[in-house]
Amino acid sequence: MEEEKLRLLDSQFAKFLAKRSSLAGNNRQQFRELVCKLSMSLAAGDSCLPLTEEEEELVERSGMAGEGANPLVVWQKRLYLQRIFAHEKRLADQLLHLAHDSKLVAGNPSLLDTLFTGSVDKETDWQRISAERALEHSFLIISGGPGTGKTSTVVKILALLLGLMGPKLRVGLAAPTGKAAMRLQESIRSSVSQLTLPAAVQENIPSQAHTLHRLLGVRRFSPFFAHCAENPLPYDVVVIDEASMVDLALMSKLVDALRPGSRLILLGDKNQLASVESGAVLADLTEALPENTVELKKSYRFDEGIKAFAEAINSGDSGRAWEIMTGGEPENVSLLQEEATGYGGENYCNYMQAVHQAQSLEEYKKLFSLLDSFKILCALRNGPTGVSGINEQVERYLTAKGYDCFSSPWYQGRPVMVTRNDYALDLYNGDIGICMEDPERPGTMKVWFERSDGTLQGLLPGRLSSCETVYALTIHKSQGTEIGEVLVILPEHDSTLITRELLYTAVTRAALRVKVKGSRPVFDLAVARKIERFSGLAIRLKENRKEREENGCPCKGGGRSRGSRGGAC
């Protein structure tokens, strides 16, 4: 393995373990290279590394593998770090327990009929099926693309549970990022307002959503949360939106923190990008637990042109996708022929004009809507077609148009994204703010953030420990957002980072219009390349379920006893 392809962390970690192994000579070098591969694969999002028989035998002889105090674990010809193996094993055990924890709530046919009026053309009503499954199972996954009604479905499910189980039912809402949490609560409020519900039910459907970290209770300078098995969450039902973004460790800690007897509902699109950290949890769960999964298939609000484009990408049909972009129909999906910086810069000129007219906090709030109406999404972070290059080019364009973006790093209207969680300020990775003058203190610049209660919070720039300009952002960072129009910029040359899931995620951020800047060869290669993450979660769930069924596990179909945290029966 070429040393220059490794991060320093990969190399030093492998060197550390190899030096302490019982191997010598060529065997030690082979072991070191294997650990390097493992470390690199973890950075790429895998939770483990597949092994050949020879590699498995080498690791076993190293003295570094085995459950317990050893740093590595070998299971099913897969090499794990001990910590990730423990998360995966515990998550599989607990989710299987939760999946079989059937707590049937007797349904009210009239209430079901009221909430789910049925399909006029006799199509299968997957939303109603989701509700019926939610009454049968303690664990439910509702998967579906944009506009399929995941949030409205879960609101109806909550209304059903509240109507059948009483108004004292405690419900917790969360999402992985602050922006996604804000979107969830906005969707919940909108869906509730469109339903005719008894006052006692409507009043008890929560309208406040939190980030997952805040829900679990962050402990500063600690990897552990306040809520855990010993101090479970106080909710009877927990709903998590954008679940595809949740990594293996965080999902394990969430499930660990559920109180015995509670219900868990995950919402997400299994075709989107998986989490930045290790694992592809939502995709693994939908594969291994089909009886606990319902996929919503009918789109109610998503634009048909964008939907067809996204479906062509998701199916790997690059020819059809390219034809949609270049054929002139639909008009709102197209290949950008002009310079990307000029097109993007002109859109942001409209934003900057509004910035210089805004004088009050109420007017500042409208600036966030303008930012959400257009965004440049880049496949890469660095380079002329990456986030860093495009942001600089847009700032130069705006400066040439009379909006000075270089006289001060904190200029009027600068949009910034937080890049690291700051629990003291209640700011999280992905939160977006706008730099504007404090109306009450002329000459004082602050960065303003939207809060969940609809207010704005202004912070002095010096208090922000880590943030970056965000006229353009990576597609990864755009997850959990809804944007009016997106301009997707592909690199000039192929990169293994450009995948089908990446393009699908970018396209499905758009509500009204999609433009793509890129060449046909790069686009075709991207659509053809599908992410393959190595994980043992799905196979572990399938094997454990089969074993429990063969052994006549008493927990199948029964409830999880109070105090049981998902170990072996």
Side-chain angles (χ1 to χ4, degrees):
M1 180 176 294
E2 297 178 20
E3 195 72 19
E4 62 268 22
K5 292 184 179 180
L6 305 177
R7 299 173 303 166
L8 181 62
L9 174 64
D10 303 323
S11 177
Q12 292 301 313
F13 176 63
K15 181 179 179 181
F16 178 84
L17 291 191
K19 187 175 181 180
R20 285 156 179 78
S21 73
S22 58
L23 302 172
N26 189 48
N27 284 336
R28 176 179 287 188
Q29 180 60 28
Q30 290 176 353
F31 176 74
R32 179 179 174 181
E33 292 182 359
L34 198 59
V35 176
C36 280
K37 289 181 182 178
L38 173 63
S39 184
M40 292 175 69
S41 68
L42 296 179
D46 298 327
S47 58
C48 56
L49 180 72
L51 298 175
T52 64
E53 290 187 7
E54 292 78 11
E55 289 171 336
E56 182 179 12
E57 187 269 338
L58 178 68
V59 175
E60 295 290 357
R61 287 194 293 111
S62 71
M64 292 284 105
E67 292 192 56
N70 291 299
L72 305 175
V73 177
V74 175
W75 179 81
Q76 294 279 16
K77 287 189 167 53
R78 291 171 170 84
L79 180 62
Y80 290 84
L81 281 184
Q82 183 72 244
R83 175 179 59 85
I84 294 178
F85 177 81
H87 282 312
E88 184 177 281
K89 184 176 185 297
R90 186 166 180 80
L91 178 61
D93 287 342
Q94 294 184 221
L95 278 180
L96 198 57
H97 224 102
L98 189 64
H100 287 313
D101 190 5
S102 300
K103 286 185 172 58
L104 180 62
V105 178
N108 183 334
S110 62
L111 186 54
L112 274 167
D113 291 339
T114 300
L115 292 170
F116 301 93
T117 55
S119 177
V120 177
D121 52 7
K122 304 301 181 183
E123 290 181 354
T124 301
D125 191 343
W126 292 105
Q127 291 192 358
R128 179 171 180 138
I129 290 174
S130 297
E132 292 170 346
R133 294 267 185 97
L135 297 180
E136 298 170 359
H137 298 283
S138 296
F139 177 52
L140 179 67
I141 303 168
I142 302 177
S143 178
T148 52
K150 295 186 291 293
T151 306
S152 60
T153 300
V154 86
V155 166
K156 294 176 182 179
I157 289 173
L158 295 178
L160 269 175
L161 292 173
L162 283 163
L164 297 171
M165 301 177 70
K168 292 185 178 181
L169 191 76
R170 294 166 295 179
V171 180
L173 305 175
T177 66
K179 193 69 174 178
M182 194 173 296
R183 275 197 61 209
L184 173 61
Q185 67 186 30
E186 289 170 355
S187 298
I188 292 279
R189 290 168 183 167
S190 175
S191 297
V192 168
S193 66
Q194 296 173 24
L195 296 176
T196 303
L197 299 171
V201 171
Q202 185 165 333
E203 291 171 1
N204 286 282
I205 293 178
S207 59
Q208 182 82 19
H210 305 285
T211 63
L212 253 175
H213 287 80
R214 189 172 183 183
L215 181 83
L216 292 171
V218 170
R219 287 179 171 174
R220 296 189 69 185
F221 312 116
S222 171
F224 304 105
F225 292 103
H227 290 291
C228 55
E230 290 72 32
N231 180 34
L233 291 164
Y235 303 111
D236 303 301
V237 181
V238 175
V239 178
I240 305 299
D241 196 15
E242 297 291 348
S244 63
M245 299 171 65
V246 183
D247 62 79
L248 180 66
L250 187 55
M251 185 67 78
S252 178
K253 292 175 182 179
L254 167 67
V255 176
D256 201 40
L258 296 176
R259 63 188 292 268
S262 60
R263 283 176 149 78
L264 175 63
I265 301 175
L266 302 181
L267 309 177
D269 185 347
K270 63 183 177 63
N271 295 313
Q272 278 191 26
L273 284 166
S275 59
V276 176
E277 301 297 331
S278 60
V281 177
L282 186 67
D284 284 344
L285 296 182
T286 56
E287 176 192 342
L289 300 172
E291 67 275 16
N292 296 88
T293 302
V294 178
E295 183 174 0
L296 304 182
K297 302 176 182 179
K298 182 178 179 179
S299 179
Y300 294 89
R301 63 169 175 82
F302 203 42
D303 178 88
E304 289 298 317
I306 299 175
K307 178 185 176 184
F309 186 46
E311 288 177 345
I313 292 172
N314 190 44
S315 64
D317 191 346
S318 62
R320 172 61 180 152
W322 190 264
E323 181 183 339
I324 291 173
M325 274 199 302
T326 57
E329 289 290 339
E331 295 182 354
N332 63 341
V333 179
S334 59
L335 183 69
L336 184 67
Q337 301 295 342
E338 61 189 277
E339 185 65 35
T341 303
Y343 182 82
E346 276 304 308
N347 275 277
Y348 282 120
C349 278
N350 298 328
Y351 162 75
M352 291 301 286
Q353 182 179 0
V355 162
H356 285 78
Q357 293 173 350
Q359 301 294 325
S360 67
L361 292 184
E362 284 302 313
E363 292 174 328
Y364 288 3
K365 290 180 182 180
K366 298 176 183 178
L367 298 178
F368 286 91
S369 297
L370 270 176
L371 268 184
D372 287 339
S373 67
F374 175 80
K375 195 71 70 180
I376 301 173
L377 304 184
C378 299
L380 303 179
R381 168 162 292 280
N382 299 312
T385 58
V387 167
S388 58
I390 295 297
N391 275 319
E392 182 180 352
Q393 292 169 43
V394 169
E395 287 184 318
R396 293 191 181 282
Y397 186 94
L398 293 174
T399 299
K401 292 291 184 177
Y403 303 106
D404 189 1
C405 300
F406 292 101
S407 60
S408 168
W410 297 103
Y411 58 84
Q412 189 86 338
R414 179 192 175 193
V416 297
M417 174 179 280
V418 175
T419 57
R420 188 168 59 207
N421 293 342
D422 190 327
Y423 305 116
L425 297 177
D426 195 24
L427 292 178
Y428 298 90
N429 189 356
D431 286 353
I432 291 179
I434 299 176
C435 185
M436 297 290 289
E437 186 178 64
D438 188 340
E440 297 181 356
R441 298 176 63 189
T444 300
M445 302 301 291
K446 286 187 175 181
V447 182
W448 300 88
F449 293 90
E450 291 181 295
R451 311 315 294 177
S452 59
D453 60 1
T455 62
L456 294 183
Q457 177 188 15
L459 298 171
L460 293 171
R463 298 190 66 188
L464 302 180
S465 59
S466 182
C467 62
E468 61 188 19
T469 304
V470 69
Y471 295 107
L473 69 159
T474 62
I475 297 169
H476 275 93
K477 290 285 189 181
S478 74
Q479 284 184 276
T481 63
E482 183 178 296
I483 304 163
E485 176 183 349
V486 299
L487 169 58
V488 184
I489 298 183
L490 301 179
E492 296 177 353
H493 306 287
D494 183 38
S495 166
T496 56
L497 298 176
I498 317 302
T499 65
R500 182 185 308 175
E501 291 84 356
L502 193 80
L503 282 179
Y504 175 84
T505 299
V507 167
T508 54
R509 297 310 89 211
L512 302 174
R513 184 181 299 274
V514 174
K515 287 188 177 290
V516 177
K517 181 66 176 178
S519 67
R520 178 70 185 268
V522 172
F523 183 83
D524 287 347
L525 289 169
V527 175
R529 184 181 295 117
K530 190 169 175 60
I531 291 176
E532 295 291 343
R533 281 199 169 179
F534 292 110
S535 164
L537 182 59
I539 189 172
R540 188 186 293 275
L541 282 165
K542 291 176 182 178
E543 290 191 357
N544 286 6
R545 183 178 59 181
K546 182 179 179 181
E547 181 181 344
R548 289 172 184 238
E549 291 173 354
E550 289 175 350
N551 294 337
C553 171
C555 74
K556 186 186 177 186
R560 179 173 50 167
S561 62
R562 181 171 293 276
S564 170
R565 302 308 299 173
C569 295

